[in-house]
Amino acid sequence: MIRNPILPGFNPDPSICRVGDDYYIATSTFEWYPGVQIHHSRDLVNWKLVRRPLERASQLDMRGNPDSCGVWAPCLSYADGQFWLVYTDVKRFDGNFKDAHNYIVTSPTIEGEWSEPVYVNSSGFDPSLFHDEDGRKWFVNMQWNHRTESYGGSPKSPAFDGILLQEWDPQTKALKGPIKNIFAGSPLGLVEGPHLFRKNGWYYLTTAEGGTGYDHAVTMARSRNIDGPYELHPNRHLVTSKDNPEAALQRAGHGQYVETPDGQVYHTHLCGRPLPPKRRCTLGRETALQKCVWREDGWLYLENGTVVPDVEVPGLGDAKRAEKPVRSEYSFDGGKLPGDFQWLRTPQPERIFNLTERPGHLRLIGRESIGSWFEQALVARRQEHHSFRAETVVEFAPDTYQQVAGLIHYYNRHKFHAVVVTLHEKLGRCVTIFSCDGDYPHGRMSFPAEAGVAIPAEGRVQLSMEIRENDLQFFWQTEGKGAWQPIGPVLDAGVISDEGGRGEHGSFTGAFAGVFAFDTSGRAKTADFDWFNYDEL
């Protein structure tokens, strides 16, 4: 059986591609670097992260990109002996504009080096490349209309001005021919995330609609001609939980169709798993997979006979889900960052961390403050469980309160909690808490432990946090001396979510647990981390 979500934690906008017996899913990474996560499976049950292909400044430079911008909704496909990856780099979120630039990169293999990007257009986001049976290639994306009151967290349907179609020429590497608006969307509105495929003489178009919150849906339409007109599915939506608030998988929408070699059919979609009582999705938007069937009317339906996605669906043969260890232990040996970890925005990671100056340690180089959109020394992994514990140990000798290093539960500049080592003019070296519980737009911090607790002037300090659904508690101890000591009150971990702070549609990435440092004096103070552990609770 397939158990959803198949990619837990922040893994939205899943584009699925099959090559032989191999399946690949590409998901959005937004402001996290390197860009795009690609997972691989041969049984649709067990998935492994195998590549983040956008890894050079020439492919992706997100310095200055606002929160929840960067890489939106990639599309992964295979044709002509190579993989094709289409992606958007969104440069603006608030206000009327989006400034969404679309590119194509290619590679003969998933694991290999990907090409330099080819710029395509900027008319809207969520681009997709369709390879037709006659060899022609078609580029589709939603069109953004800036002439409406659609600001950041308050999307309005008129801004989502239909799905554009234009032919793309692989020889000239450019669009050609007329631009046609082929689909205005259903009455649900907010049409985006287009994917085309062809079957039995029909062109099928799936789109995401309703916004990426609790009204989200996969809408389906078809036409005999690629440029329309498109008729809506009898149920209008292929997948949605919008009218079923009790469903385990909420926010279901934005996905892609795939067939197995023996003709079985599935459809990916993103989803969220809200926690009561405030229905906040602390794991962000995750990836799920649904079993589908073709009926005599020539339309695709969920196999369960409804539009509501299932947690468990039939897989391929007798494939079983491999049990994952409760604990993930990360060392920083070998001079390479563990694969689960990412950083923010910059294509120059050597400016914010290195693993060679002190072998066996992750050395963070203090640069700009928490929440900087340019050069923030923060390295973290996705939160994949509603309850977990994270631990680390740091060597850090600050000589001013402007130098800080520690352990962080992070979403964006407005939503984070951190336990830190710093310097206080009366306490000396100390441990305290920095918190921002969703204060938008100002990003004002609070200090739940006030000045903090004095600690010895030298020596390694262990830091930990326990998140139990909506509650977070920080701990500390001087390494080798005494037991873990709680610090500060229980904090609201649920604010580290899509719905926290600004609310639904205000942001849509996911929660991370990691380490960070900053030095706003400009002296680039370093902090050395020896290990990092993540335990499911």
Side-chain angles (χ1 to χ4, degrees):
M1 296 291 286
I2 296 169
R3 183 168 181 83
N4 288 310
I6 54 172
L7 304 181
F10 164 46
N11 277 291
D13 311 323
S15 171
I16 191 166
C17 168
R18 179 180 66 83
V19 182
D21 292 325
D22 295 288
Y23 299 87
Y24 300 94
I25 289 179
T27 56
S28 302
T29 43
F30 290 81
E31 63 263 37
W32 290 89
Y33 211 97
V36 180
Q37 295 219 120
I38 300 178
H39 285 80
H40 169 257
S41 176
R42 291 182 66 88
D43 59 15
L44 298 179
V45 174
N46 299 288
W47 295 84
K48 179 182 179 181
L49 178 66
V50 292
R51 194 71 166 96
R52 295 190 186 104
L54 305 180
E55 57 187 352
R56 307 188 298 275
S58 58
Q59 295 172 318
L60 185 65
D61 187 345
M62 298 184 290
R63 286 173 289 192
N65 284 20
D67 292 327
S68 288
C69 288
V71 177
W72 287 16
C75 173
L76 182 66
S77 59
Y78 185 83
D80 310 324
Q82 64 181 355
F83 289 93
W84 304 72
L85 181 68
V86 185
Y87 64 98
T88 308
D89 180 8
V90 179
K91 296 297 186 183
R92 179 171 176 173
F93 183 65
D94 284 330
N96 290 71
F97 297 98
K98 283 291 179 281
D99 293 324
H101 309 308
N102 297 319
Y103 302 90
I104 297 174
V105 292
T106 59
S107 174
T109 64
I110 289 289
E111 294 83 0
E113 184 172 298
W114 288 68
S115 71
E116 289 299 291
V118 174
Y119 171 76
V120 183
N121 67 16
S122 300
S123 54
F125 45 84
D126 292 4
S128 180
L129 186 65
F130 169 60
H131 310 271
D132 207 345
E133 294 172 357
D134 61 5
R136 299 171 77 182
K137 301 183 186 301
W138 298 90
F139 198 85
V140 287
N141 60 269
M142 64 79 68
Q143 178 170 234
W144 182 259
N145 187 345
H146 60 271
R147 302 172 301 173
T148 68
E149 295 181 357
S150 189
Y151 308 131
S154 301
K156 300 292 187 294
S157 291
F160 293 71
D161 196 17
I163 302 302
L164 299 186
L165 171 81
Q166 191 176 11
E167 188 172 359
W168 192 80
D169 188 340
Q171 301 302 317
T172 63
K173 297 184 178 180
L175 295 168
K176 67 179 183 180
I179 303 170
K180 294 187 178 182
N181 195 323
I182 61 170
F183 186 63
S186 81
L188 182 59
L190 302 173
V191 62
E192 56 185 337
H195 289 290
L196 280 165
F197 66 96
R198 191 171 181 178
K199 189 176 180 67
N200 296 332
W202 290 97
Y203 289 95
Y204 290 91
L205 174 68
T206 56
T207 62
E209 287 196 302
T212 196
Y214 286 92
D215 287 334
H216 210 24
V218 174
T219 299
M220 193 171 198
R222 72 181 182 184
S223 173
R224 289 294 187 185
N225 302 305
I226 194 168
D227 55 358
Y230 280 82
E231 61 174 310
L232 282 169
H233 191 286
N235 292 338
R236 187 179 297 167
H237 309 302
L238 175 65
V239 186
T240 186
S241 302
K242 67 184 183 65
D243 300 316
N244 297 83
E246 74 286 352
L249 303 179
Q250 290 292 311
R251 305 171 66 185
H254 198 134
Q256 191 173 17
Y257 173 86
V258 70
E259 289 189 9
T260 68
D262 61 356
Q264 298 183 68
V265 291
Y266 291 84
H267 205 284
T268 61
H269 64 92
L270 67 79
C271 64
R273 292 179 287 165
L275 287 175
K278 296 183 179 181
R279 298 193 86 209
R280 296 180 297 191
C281 296
T282 58
L283 302 182
R285 298 176 303 154
E286 307 171 284
T287 285
L289 186 64
Q290 299 300 319
K291 184 73 179 291
C292 300
V293 293
W294 288 102
R295 293 187 184 169
E296 292 182 357
D297 61 2
W299 285 103
L300 191 68
Y301 295 85
L302 293 188
E303 189 182 59
N304 66 21
T306 76
V307 296
V308 182
D310 285 330
V311 172
E312 289 193 345
V313 299
L316 303 180
D318 58 355
K320 296 181 180 179
R321 190 170 186 170
E323 292 297 322
K324 293 185 177 181
V326 172
R327 162 166 282 212
S328 296
E329 297 182 347
Y330 302 97
S331 69
F332 300 108
D333 300 325
K336 187 176 181 180
L337 194 67
D340 288 341
F341 287 79
Q342 287 181 275
W343 61 94
L344 288 160
R345 294 182 175 85
T346 179
Q348 294 184 312
E350 67 276 7
R351 290 270 303 163
I352 59 172
F353 70 84
N354 72 69
L355 296 118
T356 57
E357 288 186 5
R358 187 178 180 190
H361 293 74
L362 170 64
R363 171 162 288 180
L364 295 186
I365 306 165
R367 299 293 183 186
E368 296 174 337
S369 59
I370 304 176
S372 167
W373 289 345
F374 292 88
E375 204 165 50
Q376 180 181 178
L378 189 156
V379 174
R381 56 149 290 165
R382 283 160 176 73
Q383 178 182 342
E384 294 183 10
H385 306 90
H386 286 125
S387 297
F388 73 96
R389 178 182 174 91
E391 302 175 357
T392 192
V393 63
V394 62
E395 287 186 54
F396 185 57
D399 51 49
T400 169
Y401 63 82
Q402 292 182 310
Q403 297 168 345
V404 175
L407 177 71
I408 192 165
H409 191 211
Y410 183 86
Y411 187 100
N412 63 21
R413 65 164 52 184
H414 305 112
K415 295 184 278 193
F416 63 83
H417 302 301
V419 58
V420 307
V421 176
T422 187
L423 193 74
H424 186 270
E425 54 270 27
K426 294 182 180 179
L427 296 177
R429 197 169 74 135
C430 64
V431 173
T432 189
I433 296 173
F434 290 176
S435 180
C436 187
D437 59 358
D439 182 50
Y440 179 86
H442 302 294
R444 288 171 292 206
M445 286 202 308
S446 62
F447 304 91
E450 299 181 344
V453 178
I455 61 174
E458 297 180 349
R460 304 193 340 163
V461 182
Q462 289 183 238
L463 305 171
S464 69
M465 58 183 173
E466 286 188 2
I467 283 78
R468 297 182 183 274
E469 296 191 339
N470 290 304
D471 296 331
L472 181 154
Q473 178 67 64
F474 284 120
F475 302 86
W476 73 278
Q477 67 176 0
T478 302
E479 188 177 49
K481 298 179 181 178
W484 286 105
Q485 300 294 319
I487 181 170
V490 172
L491 302 175
D492 183 5
V495 79
I496 315 300
S497 66
D498 292 352
E499 297 83 3
R502 190 177 180 183
E504 185 181 71
H505 295 123
S507 55
F508 27 76
T509 55
F512 283 71
V515 295
F516 78 104
F518 68 78
D519 184 353
T520 54
S521 75
R523 286 177 277 163
K525 189 73 173 182
T526 61
D528 291 339
F529 294 85
D530 192 356
W531 46 260
F532 185 95
N533 294 333
Y534 176 99
D535 295 88
E536 177 186 0
L537 295 179

